[in-house]
């Protein structure tokens, strides 16, 4: 079956612009996670949804970052007024289990470059 | 949060077994030991997990020390496709241990 998909795969933007990154989880997966990965490092947790409820946003670096999952399926991570330090790979993952403890399936990521 | 310690890199010959160590001396009784790996240019993928007993699946085996302060991921016959970064991660089952704390992992090089 189809895995986690993310779009766009690559995004180049100018400093100060807003960007929206989309994640389409595996059908039926109730938990959804966003991570950010710098080059040569492991992914770092940003936020977690259980269905449409954002259960934890403690990993979001500042208030320019926000995420939503209004219907409990597709999620959007939005970065406002982008800065060069926001450049990274943004990864989405989903899992079948509620409560967020199950195996996480990762998407291919969105490579964000802020000029 | 309990942390894990892994070697930065390891090297193996193709078709030989590989033992990837992980130290977690501050592990709590409710922490599960999870392993994920990340192949080049791909997202991480689940490998295996366990609590106290050794575990086997089609990808690997997980050997857990009796005191649970260390564990070893075993790839029985390494192939070139196993070259990846391997992450040992503790997940707390007593609360919502949903965030995977990846750390830097072990970069495994497999040579023909």
């Amino acid at each position: 079956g189809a895995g986690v998909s993310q779009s766009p795969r690559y995004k180049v933007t100018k400093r100060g612009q807003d960007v929206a990154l989309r994640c389409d989880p595996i059908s039926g997966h109730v938990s959804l996670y966003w991570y950010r990965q710098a080059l040569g490092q492991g992914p770092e947790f940003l936020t977690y949804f259980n269905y449409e409820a954002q259960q934890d946003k403690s990993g979001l670096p500042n208030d320019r970052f926000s995420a939503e999952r209004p219907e409990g399926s597709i999620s959007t991570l939005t970065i406002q007024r982008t800065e060069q330090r926001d450049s990274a790979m943004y990864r989405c993952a989903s899992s079948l289990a509620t409560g967020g403890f199950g195996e996480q399936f990762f998407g291919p990521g969105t490579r964000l470059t802020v000029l | 949060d309990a942390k894990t310690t892994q070697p930065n890199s390891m090297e193996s010959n193709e078709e030989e077994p590989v033992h990837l160590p992980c130290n977690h001396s501050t592990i709590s009784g409710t922490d599960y030991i999870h392993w994920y790996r990340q192949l080049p240019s791909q997202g991480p993928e689940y490998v295996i997990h366990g609590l106290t007993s050794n575990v086997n699946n089609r990808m690997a085996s997980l050997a857990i020390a009796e005191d649970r302060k260390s564990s070893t991921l075993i790839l029985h016959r390494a192939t070139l496709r196993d070259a990846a970064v391997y992450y040992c991660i503790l997940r707390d089952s007593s609360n919502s241990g949903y965030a995977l704390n990846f750390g830097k992992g072990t970069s495994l090089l497999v040579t023909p």
Side-chain angles (χ1 to χ4, degrees):
Chain A
V4 177
S5 61
Q6 293 185 244
S7 61
R9 294 290 308 278
Y10 301 91
K11 178 68 177 178
V12 180
T13 190
K14 292 183 178 179
R15 186 179 57 182
Q17 297 295 307
D18 298 349
V19 295
L21 312 181
R22 171 183 166 132
C23 172
D24 198 343
I26 294 172
S27 178
H29 279 199
V30 302
S31 296
L32 185 145
Y33 320 79
W34 283 98
Y35 293 84
R36 179 170 69 173
Q37 185 170 20
L39 206 59
Q41 304 292 319
E44 292 182 328
F45 170 78
L46 294 177
T47 187
Y48 158 62
F49 289 86
N50 190 34
Y51 294 97
E52 72 281 359
Q54 189 172 22
Q55 301 280 10
D56 185 353
K57 55 182 181 179
S58 63
L60 296 177
N62 52 61
D63 59 7
R64 295 187 295 105
F65 287 73
S66 63
E68 63 174 9
R69 193 187 184 197
E71 298 180 0
S73 180
I74 293 169
S75 176
T76 302
L77 176 69
T78 301
I79 308 173
Q80 296 179 313
R81 305 180 303 282
T82 53
E83 301 177 4
Q84 287 186 331
R85 60 176 173 160
D86 300 333
S87 297
M89 178 72 83
Y90 289 82
R91 297 196 184 273
C92 172
S94 69
S95 69
L96 181 61
T98 58
F101 195 70
E103 174 186 349
Q104 296 186 18
F105 295 82
F106 283 79
T110 294
R111 169 72 66 186
L112 174 66
T113 302
V114 182
L115 302 177
Chain B
D1 292 338
K3 293 185 178 180
T4 63
T5 304
Q6 299 177 253
N8 289 333
S9 62
M10 291 185 65
E11 189 170 341
S12 173
N13 294 321
E14 195 177 11
E15 298 188 3
E16 291 186 355
V18 181
H19 292 234
L20 296 165
C22 180
N23 288 324
H24 28 79
S25 59
T26 60
I27 191 171
S28 71
T30 53
D31 284 333
Y32 279 75
I33 302 159
H34 287 243
W35 284 80
Y36 278 72
R37 73 178 185 180
Q38 187 169 17
L39 279 64
S41 302
Q42 296 189 26
E45 64 176 352
Y46 167 84
V47 177
I48 200 167
H49 79 278
L51 182 63
T52 57
S53 303
N54 295 343
V55 184
N56 301 295
N57 67 20
R58 64 176 178 81
M59 290 181 70
S61 296
L62 177 60
I64 302 172
E66 193 169 342
D67 63 6
R68 300 211 324 126
K69 294 185 177 182
S70 66
S71 60
T72 302
L73 179 71
I74 302 166
L75 307 179
H76 295 286
R77 287 182 71 231
T79 69
L80 296 178
R81 291 187 68 254
D82 290 322
V85 179
Y86 287 79
Y87 298 97
C88 171
I89 300 166
L90 301 183
R91 299 188 75 185
D92 186 355
S93 64
S94 68
N95 59 29
S96 297
Y98 38 78
L100 295 175
N101 295 313
F102 280 88
K104 295 187 176 181
T106 297
S107 180
L108 176 65
L109 175 67
V110 180
T111 55

